[in-house]
Amino acid sequence: MGRIGMLLVGHGSKLPYNKELIETTAGLIAEKTDEYLVKPGFMSLNTPTVVDQLEAFRSEDIDMLVVVPLFLAKGVHINQDIPELLGLAEGSRSGTFQLNGKTVPLVYASPIGSDPLLAELMLKNASDAIATLKP
């Protein structure tokens, strides 16, 4: 399989940190592998939007599009809004995407959820916070 497009979806915020976090994370993913062409998109308040980035992917040379929400848990955006933007049937995690005159598979990833890596990150954050108290 050729290159995979990854649309990393963030919520969006009036505060700049949210946008920076999503864009930085997209950049970190892109640095780790050349298997993915990574683009960040936002549900609200920030640009580019998810719809903007879906349109941008239509001119890319990819063989699949995976949409990955950078959300911790399922909610309205995860269960309804994003699937609707992707043209997915209710409850479906896959479909197709039209680009460059061809149809490629589209898959929709789950939010982060409960993951051992998240627990490790929280332990690291706790240790970092405790370390700030040590002389």
Side-chain angles (χ1 to χ4, degrees), residues 100-119:
N100 293 326
K102 68 179 182 177
T103 302
V104 299
L106 179 145
V107 291
Y108 178 40
S110 295
I112 296 166
S114 295
D115 187 290
L117 292 173
L118 185 60

Side-chain angles (χ1 to χ4, degrees), residues 7-8 10 12 25 35 39 65 71 78 81 89 95 98-99 101 103-105 114 117-119 128 130 133:
L7 175 53
L8 186 65
T25 303
E35 181 180 3
K39 295 180 185 285
L65 179 61
F71 286 62
I78 297 297
D81 299 339
Q98 303 294 319
L99 68 136
T103 302
V104 299
S114 295
L117 292 173
L118 185 60
D128 290 350
I130 292 166
L133 298 177

Side-chain angles (χ1 to χ4, degrees), residues 12-74:
S13 173
K14 292 179 183 176
L15 302 175
Y17 177 73
N18 180 275
K19 182 174 181 170
E20 292 167 9
L21 181 141
I22 303 300
E23 291 174 339
T24 299
T25 303
L28 291 169
I29 294 167
E31 288 174 10
K32 286 187 170 288
T33 179
D34 60 359
E35 181 180 3
Y36 292 94
L37 172 62
V38 185
K39 295 180 185 285
F42 301 91
M43 288 303 299
S44 62
L45 302 172
N46 295 124
T47 57
T49 66
V50 169
V51 172
D52 293 339
Q53 293 296 50
L54 288 170
E55 286 306 311
F57 272 115
R58 293 192 196 284
S59 62
E60 299 289 356
D61 185 21
I62 57 173
D63 293 325
M64 175 185 290
L65 179 61
V66 60
V67 178
V68 181
L70 187 47
F71 286 62
L72 285 177
K74 292 179 181 178

